[in-house]
Amino acid sequence: MLINNSFFNKLSPKETKFYSMLEELAFVISEISKLITESVSNYKYNESIEYFKKIKNLEKQGDKTITQIFDAFNTTFITPFDREDIHELANILDDVADYMNNAAKRIVLYHPKTIPNSAVQLGNLLIEATGCLYKAIAMLPTLKKDATEIKNCCDKLHSIENKADDVYEFFIKDLFENATDAIEIIKLKDILYELENATDAAEDAGNIIKTIIVKYA
Amino acid sequence: MLINNSFFNKLSPKETKFYSMLEELAFVISEISKLITESVSNYKYNESIEYFKKIKNLEKQGDKTITQIFDAFNTTFITPFDREDIHELANILDDVADYMNNAAKRIVLYHPKTIPNSAVQLGNLLIEATGCLYKAIAMLPTLKKDATEIKNCCDKLHSIENKADDVYEFFIKDLFENATDAIEIIKLKDILYELENATDAAEDAGNIIKTIIVKYA
Amino acid sequence: MLINNSFFNKLSPKETKFYSMLEELAFVISEISKLITESVSNYKYNESIEYFKKIKNLEKQGDKTITQIFDAFNTTFITPFDREDIHELANILDDVADYMNNAAKRIVLYHPKTIPNSAVQLGNLLIEATGCLYKAIAMLPTLKKDATEIKNCCDKLHSIENKADDVYEFFIKDLFENATDAIEIIKLKDILYELENATDAAEDAGNIIKTIIVKYA
């Protein structure tokens, strides 16, 4: 380990940069979750194209931030915590963004006739989850002081993921019981699968943050 | 490397704990393989719901064991072999459990009209594979003495996976040649895919064990 | 890091072995891309079976090379660059081969009625991408001298992947707008998905090579 715990009380400019980049990434994800939820609420195909454009732009912005994080790895010798933990956290945050972006893209490509309310429920859970992530990541610079509160955010991510599982399972069961159009089944199953994956990835991000707390708080 | 080979002849209580936890995980997986195979043999939908409940409980038990293994990492400074190897092995064993759990869950959610015999064949291969894994993992504390026998188990996992590939390919070919109901195709393809993934993951677990043998036997 | 940069000017036989094995792997992948493209151009089912056999053989040859690379890890203490980077690069090259092999296998198992021109376009992009990869990997032994040219190859992989995205998106949109046979939709969506995955993996390989350049050039 390159650092000791007292380190967290005297961050150098190099170190704070990692925090602000992670926070920026978390912010982008939180914004995407709002757009995808709007897109599936009162779904109108033409509007969903506009939402996708906005989401794609945010996702690209997130990609840039990730590149900056990884570039910074190669020029900075001290990181606020384990390189690997930051690397993994950034990658999983990127996954959250990717899954939501995929959902938005699939709506545009598949042009489903309707979008079920389960998608809206998943969207709202994603807003909640990415809000938790943002809050937890914003507290990382004060990890020692805020350990309990960060842990609470991570626990909440776990319970959100459980709710998302239930929503997705209800949706799938209902789809196969009541839908008769195989092509629409393919479309909706694929779209909501990406939303459910996004909540999984958000929980994974929470688990990595938990690991960081155990190590450094 | 924190340990040397002679270490294996004088395990401390801290080290044996890792072995027993891995063995417990392997036991859980082996039990799940029996339940999923019973569930797809003479498939009756109402019974498959009961099987899924049992499998889900076992899968949760496995998750607890994995959490214990990872928690132990953070409090134990010496592990019987590379932390990373144990970490990876535990994760892959978890994947084996997850895939079987997913197959059971999909049966409940999708409610397929029938389940083909290929699913039973995959189930039987999974019983065989998880039996091999359990045997190999139970021999890890006597790695040096039992290296040849452990390696045989891992080789068997490879040949089981090859058989599972053949079964799955036969099933898919047959499905697309003979099935006419697109919705049933979606259901069965997805369910058996998870079973086939489970045999892949079992082989991966075998490969990690092989790596451990090369390093420490 | 086990090595310093000057090391690259005086490679020992042990080190050159890694390069030649990676190059062999890249060559195999490049050959597979040509076969899969021929297979989907003027698609005839019986011929696609022959193409799959050839591709499968090449893929097995690639697997052997990967095993050799990983075996060499356990007996060689000095590697030309970070063990992890080589490991990751070999694994991703393996993924490229796997995805193309899966596409070829799915054609045989699914027996689609027709194969759309988008598959040919993806095949041609794969020929281009694997050509870039081969070129970049062949220059690794002269990394310091050829850094700029290697980087150009990697950038090209990124732009190829973007084109592949566009081709795949056009295909999916067209499929859901115009196809009416749900079973054929399932087949084609799955087959082209693997081809698109292969271009993703080729770009990932390029990104790893870029990382290597940043570290050692």
Side-chain angles (χ1 to χ4, degrees), chain C residues 139-156:
Chain C
M139 283 187 285
L140 284 180
T142 50
L143 183 77
K144 281 167 87 81
K145 187 171 69 66
D146 295 318
T148 313
E149 213 169 332
I150 298 176
K151 212 189 150 293
N152 287 344
C153 291
C154 299
D155 290 340
K156 214 175 162 192

Side-chain angles (χ1 to χ4, degrees), chain B residues 9-215:
Chain B
N9 302 319
K10 35 179 177 170
L11 291 170
S12 75
K14 278 189 174 181
E15 279 76 47
T16 56
K17 157 175 85 175
F18 281 107
Y19 291 120
S20 60
M21 288 190 292
L22 281 174
E23 203 179 311
E24 200 184 307
L25 198 52
F27 177 75
V28 160
I29 288 166
S30 162
E31 290 299 299
I32 292 176
S33 73
K34 290 171 197 163
L35 289 169
I36 186 73
T37 308
E38 285 178 34
S39 172
V40 295
S41 310
N42 303 311
Y43 162 64
K44 293 192 186 67
Y45 182 68
N46 285 337
E47 287 176 13
S48 74
I49 297 172
E50 295 310 309
Y51 279 114
F52 173 51
K53 279 181 196 160
K54 286 181 199 163
I55 289 170
K56 200 176 178 177
N57 282 336
L58 282 168
E59 200 254 342
K60 274 185 188 164
Q61 194 181 317
D63 277 350
K64 263 184 211 161
T65 308
I66 287 173
T67 308
Q68 282 167 8
I69 292 174
F70 293 163
D71 284 353
F73 274 156
N74 294 313
T75 53
T76 313
F77 285 96
I78 300 167
T79 60
F81 26 77
D82 250 357
R83 284 169 84 90
E84 248 177 69
D85 291 324
I86 292 187
H87 197 283
E88 217 183 329
L89 182 55
N91 270 331
I92 297 273
L93 291 175
D94 189 35
D95 286 347
V96 182
D98 278 351
Y99 287 127
M100 292 190 289
N101 183 61
N102 284 347
K105 188 202 280 180
R106 285 182 175 185
I107 293 170
V108 172
L109 296 179
Y110 295 2
H111 195 160
K113 288 178 188 159
T114 57
I115 289 187
N117 191 253
S118 301
V120 184
Q121 289 175 275
L122 288 174
N124 283 324
L125 288 168
L126 278 169
I127 291 175
E128 216 184 320
T130 57
C132 284
L133 271 179
Y134 179 76
K135 204 176 150 192
I137 286 167
M139 283 188 287
L140 283 180
T142 51
L143 183 78
K144 281 168 87 82
K145 186 171 69 68
D146 294 319
T148 314
E149 214 169 332
I150 297 176
K151 213 188 150 292
N152 287 344
C153 291
C154 299
D155 290 341
K156 216 176 161 188
L157 284 163
H158 177 66
S159 89
I160 292 169
E161 205 279 318
N162 279 343
K163 283 184 204 165
D165 268 357
D166 290 344
V167 171
Y168 184 71
E169 287 176 18
F170 171 84
F171 154 73
I172 289 285
K173 210 165 179 310
D174 181 66
L175 187 72
F176 279 114
E177 265 168 22
N178 300 309
T180 49
D181 181 341
I183 299 179
E184 287 302 305
I185 289 177
I186 296 170
K187 291 175 183 176
L188 295 177
K189 186 167 164 282
D190 266 23
I191 293 165
L192 273 80
Y193 179 71
E194 295 290 327
L195 293 176
E196 208 271 321
N197 273 344
T199 64
D200 279 351
E203 189 195 8
D204 289 344
N207 288 339
I208 296 166
I209 295 172
K210 254 194 214 169
T211 313
I212 293 173
I213 298 174
V214 172
K215 281 195 206 163

